[in-house]
Amino acid sequence: MGLLEFESLPNGGGSGKGCISWGFRSLKRRKQVDSAQARKYGKHPQLAKELSILELIAIGVGSTIGAGVYVLVGTVAREHCGPALTISFLIVGIAAALSAFCYAELACRCPSAGSAYHYSYICVGEGVAWLIGWALILEYTIGGSAVARGISPNLALFFGGEGNLPVFLARTYIPGLDVVVDPCAALLVFVVTGLLCMGIKEVFSMDGMLAGSATIFFAYIGFDSVSCTAEEVKNPQRDLPLGIGMSLSICCMLYMLMSVVIVGLVPYYAMDPDTPISSAFAGQGMQWAVYIITTGAVTALCSNLMGSLLPQPRILMAMARDGLLPSFFSDVNKRTQVPVKSTIVTGICAALLSFFMDVSQLAGMVSVGTLLAFTIVAISILILRYVPPDEVPLSSSLHETIDSVSTQYSYTTPEIDGSNTKDPVISTKNSKYFQPEAETSIGYPLIVKDIECSHDKLNEQKRRRLAAWNIAFVCIGVFLVTSAASSAEYLPGTARYLLCGIGVSLLLCGLIVLSWIDQDNARHSFGHIGGFTCPYVPLLPIASILINVYLLINLGVGTWIRVSVWLILGVFVYLCYGRTHSLLHKAVYVPKEQAGEFCQSSGYLT
């Protein structure tokens, strides 16, 4: 796995030190990009390839429509940016574009379901991928529930106010539970869940999907939904970058135009936080426009709800395919070719949450999942360009094949963890370390790199090591700089300046060195080739990391406390289930250049 070396447990591997060491190594396991052959003939059913560029734009724009202008734009203008609303949206749009460039390249190279979870599992490691997937589950559940709760006030305008809604749709206060239930929100979630179970082509070909799109948007995260559907795109290398770029451009343009209109109609301090657009037109005496705006609002919010619920089943499916979640979530319906079971579970959870909870207090938690995903995707671009994985995980079922090849070589005994073990080691020319993961038998032979390394090989190892360290410097520097910039209330001036100075030094060091050294030649053949490549590397992904981490740190202590509870729960789930059920639990890692030999002799699909 590139810079990561995997070692068998020493004799007495049940010791605390050995178990802890293996536990950390399991966090660094990385999977390979699925080849077209492996996806076609693999054991997991594949999703239907039904989407073209138009459907991708519909998904991207539809996933972003609604909640921003119809739910939160009034609050944002009143409490944060005032008349500078348009400029704020432009800044956020530019920041999102940096992440979109990174997403576009990874979506082309790794066109499978799972989005940021899938990319980080390939480039960073299993531990980080699990946390990203777990955070995205929270993001899409709360996001969908928040959108569903925002539909009721707009729908009520058709009936003359919330008090005039039919009883079975009206919000009701339950004294015993001290909650306000919203049956309308839950009902809409179930309807959208049923539509998503029909099949992705049928859902996004319906008329009116983009109705209401000439309005402001909640955030620029629709392209994450687009990347989640990568496995269902007919021509991912061509259509995914176009879908991501065009949907983001449309959203940014309409976001800014609508902000100009709304701030021009009503002073920012007088905006209605619940129905800002409709109230703005009503205040100008244009009651006829209220019904048009409300129609667009309800349609747009329903589209936004569908876009929020669409990605999560595919993330659950991707995690289940990798063994990190039960196989129940990886089932794909043979007729509709969508993950129906995961979709139903997602719908039930979102419906319950929208029915019982006022999720506005949890809205900040949605941003955590989004920004974490954006950050890891940008880091993945740096890893892919400078230190791409140079080892391939093979199934433990290939042990016999490797044994047959191993008989051609001589045996030695290495030192592992500073002690001489009795594990036999096979020395082979032009080979790197490779050995079984974790709990393979201690007597299994290891293949080690020949002492005679070529000069070019040593130089390449030094370059990879230098690149890896400077990527780490960039990440540490970004964290220190953003922490110093956000800690005026907590740190004295001298400490802040010192922290900022160290961070800037590390950040600039990493940027300069990464700009100076060559990128890895293996990047040209990594994953599926022929698609979009992110420009201005390393500057663009580093800028994306800097902006996203700064926004993460400024989300507030309360938000981070709530998110931490969810992430800690995720750690326990991973330790109790995912770690031992992972498909890479007993994987054998071999250098890429030798993987083909073993696969061909065993018929294994790469």
Side-chain angles (χ1 to χ4, degrees):
M1 290 184 135
L3 297 177
L4 309 177
E5 301 293 345
F6 292 86
E7 299 174 351
S8 299
L9 290 176
N11 289 339
S15 65
K17 179 180 178 182
C19 291
I20 293 175
S21 175
W22 172 76
F24 280 110
R25 285 199 302 272
S26 67
L27 300 178
K28 300 186 292 184
R29 300 185 290 218
R30 292 189 284 189
K31 68 176 184 179
Q32 68 178 124
V33 181
D34 293 334
S35 66
Q37 184 184 20
R39 289 205 305 268
K40 183 176 181 180
Y41 298 105
K43 64 179 181 179
H44 295 295
Q46 298 300 302
L47 303 180
K49 287 187 173 293
E50 297 283 359
L51 301 180
S52 64
I53 181 65
L54 294 179
E55 282 86 14
L56 290 177
I57 295 175
I59 292 173
V61 177
S63 298
T64 311
I65 282 176
V69 63
Y70 297 119
V71 179
L72 293 179
V73 68
T75 302
V76 171
R78 290 177 59 176
E79 299 181 5
H80 298 285
C81 54
L85 188 63
T86 304
I87 298 176
S88 297
F89 291 159
L90 175 61
I91 293 173
V92 175
I94 294 173
L98 300 179
S99 297
F101 280 119
C102 300
Y103 264 88
E105 175 170 346
L106 289 171
C108 291
R109 292 182 181 272
C110 316
S112 293
S115 183
Y117 158 78
H118 181 63
Y119 311 146
S120 58
Y121 203 164
I122 291 170
C123 297
V124 184
E126 186 175 282
V128 171
W130 167 265
L131 288 180
I132 293 298
W134 193 251
L136 288 176
I137 291 173
L138 180 69
E139 170 195 340
Y140 286 118
T141 302
I142 293 180
S145 302
V147 172
R149 295 279 294 203
I151 295 176
S152 298
N154 288 279
L155 188 63
L157 293 177
F158 286 116
F159 299 88
E162 288 197 44
N164 298 320
L165 273 174
V167 176
F168 68 94
L169 293 179
R171 291 181 176 178
T172 305
Y173 175 72
I174 301 179
L177 300 177
D178 193 27
V179 296
V180 177
V181 297
D182 191 337
C184 178
L187 179 62
L188 286 170
V189 171
F190 282 126
V191 170
V192 169
T193 300
L195 291 174
L196 290 174
C197 290
M198 291 167 51
I200 194 165
K201 178 72 173 181
E202 286 75 7
V203 171
F204 283 98
S205 294
M206 292 188 301
D207 294 334
M209 181 54 62
L210 298 182
S213 61
T215 52
I216 200 169
F217 303 106
F218 174 61
Y220 298 94
I221 61 172
F223 57 83
D224 185 71
S225 297
V226 173
S227 65
C228 277
T229 64
E231 189 175 312
E232 296 156 281
V233 180
K234 296 176 182 177
N235 188 346
Q237 277 66 40
R238 183 196 67 185
D239 291 346
L240 280 172
L242 290 174
I244 290 173
M246 292 183 69
S247 61
L248 179 62
S249 300
I250 293 171
C251 291
C252 184
M253 179 181 65
L254 296 178
Y255 216 158
M256 295 176 62
L257 290 175
M258 183 51 66
S259 65
V260 171
V261 173
I262 187 66
V263 174
L265 281 175
V266 181
Y268 70 90
Y269 51 81
M271 289 185 184
D272 189 317
D274 294 324
T275 55
I277 303 295
S278 301
S279 300
F281 281 92
Q284 301 298 317
M286 295 181 286
Q287 192 64 34
W288 58 270
V290 173
Y291 294 103
I292 297 177
I293 296 296
T294 302
T295 301
V298 173
T299 306
L301 287 169
C302 289
S303 173
N304 197 187
L305 174 60
M306 186 173 293
S308 297
L309 297 180
L310 171 69
Q312 182 170 321
R314 285 148 181 83
I315 293 174
L316 291 171
M317 180 190 70
M319 298 175 74
R321 281 178 174 178
D322 296 328
L324 302 184
L325 288 176
S327 60
F328 169 87
F329 295 103
S330 65
D331 287 347
V332 175
N333 185 274
K334 293 182 179 180
R335 185 177 65 84
T336 62
Q337 290 185 279
V338 296
V340 172
K341 293 181 180 178
S342 294
T343 301
I344 293 174
V345 171
T346 297
I348 291 174
C349 294
L352 290 174
L353 192 60
S354 63
F355 182 76
F356 285 107
M357 296 184 64
D358 180 4
V359 294
S360 60
Q361 297 180 348
L362 306 179
M365 298 173 68
V366 176
S367 298
V368 173
T370 302
L371 293 171
L372 280 176
F374 287 3
T375 302
I376 293 301
V377 166
I379 294 174
S380 297
I381 285 291
L382 293 177
I383 293 175
L384 187 153
R385 293 296 190 89
Y386 290 96
V387 283
D390 59 353
E391 292 180 343
V392 176
L394 299 182
S395 171
S396 57
S397 62
L398 295 183
H399 286 180
E400 293 184 2
T401 302
I402 300 175
D403 281 336
S404 64
V405 177
S406 300
T407 57
Q408 306 174 31
Y409 303 99
S410 58
Y411 289 81
T412 58
T413 304
E415 286 191 0
I416 298 180
D417 292 340
S419 62
N420 196 320
T421 72
K422 296 182 180 180
D423 296 340
V425 175
I426 303 172
S427 177
T428 177
K429 193 172 184 178
N430 298 324
S431 176
K432 288 190 64 177
Y433 289 105
F434 87 96
Q435 56 203 56
E437 256 297 287
E439 297 179 358
T440 51
S441 63
I442 292 181
Y444 190 79
L446 309 176
I447 299 180
V448 299
K449 184 173 57 179
D450 187 69
I451 300 176
E452 300 287 338
C453 288
S454 67
H455 183 68
D456 291 341
K457 190 69 173 179
L458 288 175
N459 287 340
E460 175 62 13
Q461 289 178 344
K462 291 178 181 178
R463 187 204 61 78
R464 288 176 64 91
R465 188 177 298 111
L466 179 63
W469 274 108
N470 279 276
I471 292 174
F473 288 161
V474 165
C475 296
I476 296 172
V478 165
F479 179 76
L480 294 179
V481 168
T482 53
S483 298
S486 307
S487 58
E489 301 178 2
Y490 310 105
L491 289 178
T494 304
R496 286 184 61 213
Y497 293 138
L498 178 61
L499 195 65
C500 187
I502 297 173
V504 169
S505 299
L506 290 173
L507 180 57
L508 289 178
C509 174
L511 176 60
I512 292 171
V513 173
L514 291 175
S515 301
W516 171 63
I517 65 176
D518 293 330
Q519 296 183 24
D520 198 298
N521 290 329
R523 72 186 188 279
H524 298 300
S525 59
F526 185 85
H528 296 248
I529 60 176
F532 176 84
T533 55
C534 180
Y536 307 114
V537 176
L539 181 60
L540 189 149
I542 289 177
S544 177
I545 295 170
L546 181 63
I547 294 172
N548 292 325
V549 172
Y550 178 77
L551 295 175
L552 273 171
I553 290 178
N554 283 275
L555 283 176
V557 177
T559 296
W560 274 109
I561 291 176
R562 289 189 287 268
V563 170
S564 297
V565 173
W566 175 255
L567 294 180
I568 291 173
L569 175 62
V571 170
F572 280 107
V573 174
Y574 174 75
L575 293 177
C576 296
Y577 185 89
R579 180 175 59 92
T580 55
H581 288 78
S582 170
L583 294 185
L584 302 182
H585 179 51
K586 295 183 178 181
V588 179
Y589 286 89
V590 300
K592 273 190 174 181
E593 58 271 16
Q594 297 181 354
E597 176 184 353
F598 294 111
C599 294
Q600 289 176 4
S601 55
S602 64
Y604 183 73
L605 295 175
T606 59

